[in-house]
């Protein structure tokens, strides 16, 4: 996952997963490990598939959402507008007040202090 988010042309933000999803994932993982230890291969394969499916449920939910979201962020001298299109067709950030780069050498504070925390707390998974 670390390598997927690293290209300079993209940024992969998944947000915070729902607590129930985390609990279900942990329970299935524990049952998966128990089945693996008992060498029950059919059950282990089914549980492994369930773990992968549970991991991708939040991404599928986002593509089924028909709502258009417009958010205004206070970036200091003016506002920044974040437009999220229906069915995860795209996200546009308008007028962030400075140049935004997605590298490790971020020189400005608007991205680091306002925009990045917005996407970090954004619950894309619900």
């Amino acid at each position: 996952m670390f390598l997927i988010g690293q290209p300079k042309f993209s940024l992969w933000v998944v947000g915070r997963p729902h607590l129930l999803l985390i609990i279900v994932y942990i329970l299935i993982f524990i049952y998966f490990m128990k089945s693996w230890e008992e060498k029950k291969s059919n059950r282990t394969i089914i549980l492994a598939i369930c773990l992968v499916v549970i991991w991708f449920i939040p991404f599928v939910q986002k593509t089924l959402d028909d709502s258009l979201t417009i958010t205004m962020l206070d970036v200091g001298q003016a506002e920044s507008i974040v437009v999220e299109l229906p069915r995860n067709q795209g996200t546009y950030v308008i007028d962030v007040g400075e140049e935004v780069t997605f590298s490790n050498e971020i020189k400005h504070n608007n991205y680091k202090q306002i925009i990045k925390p917005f996407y970090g707390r954004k619950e894309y998974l619900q």
Side-chain angles (χ1 to χ4, degrees):
M1 290 178 55
F2 180 73
L3 296 176
I4 292 174
Q6 286 304 310
K8 293 185 180 194
F9 58 86
S10 70
L11 179 66
W12 188 24
V13 178
V14 294
R16 182 177 51 197
H18 194 276
L19 180 61
L20 182 62
L21 189 68
I22 294 171
I23 292 170
V24 169
Y25 191 86
I26 290 171
L27 291 174
I28 291 176
F29 182 76
I30 291 169
Y31 193 53
F32 166 78
M33 295 305 290
K34 183 179 176 187
S35 296
W36 182 297
E37 191 174 272
E38 294 173 356
K39 298 186 183 202
K40 296 182 179 178
S41 61
N42 290 340
R43 186 185 310 162
T44 305
I45 292 170
I46 291 170
L47 290 170
I49 292 170
C50 288
L51 289 172
V52 171
V53 168
I54 287 173
W55 178 257
F56 284 101
I57 285 174
F59 302 110
V60 173
Q61 283 180 337
K62 184 65 177 165
T63 59
L64 298 176
D65 186 13
D66 285 332
S67 63
L68 171 72
T69 305
I70 299 174
T71 307
M72 304 263 311
L73 299 173
D74 182 10
V75 291
Q77 296 177 351
E79 285 80 27
S80 175
I81 301 171
V82 180
V83 179
E84 297 171 277
L85 298 177
R87 296 191 177 271
N88 204 21
Q89 294 174 344
T91 301
Y92 296 97
V93 180
I94 303 168
D95 191 18
V96 295
E98 63 189 28
E99 180 181 342
V100 176
T101 59
F102 297 108
S103 68
N104 292 336
E105 301 175 6
I106 297 172
K107 299 174 186 172
H108 304 287
N109 290 332
N110 282 351
Y111 173 76
K112 192 174 186 179
Q113 294 178 348
I114 299 168
I115 297 169
K116 188 174 180 180
F118 168 74
Y119 280 110
R121 70 168 172 75
K122 186 82 173 159
E123 296 182 13
Y124 285 106
L125 306 179
Q126 292 183 354

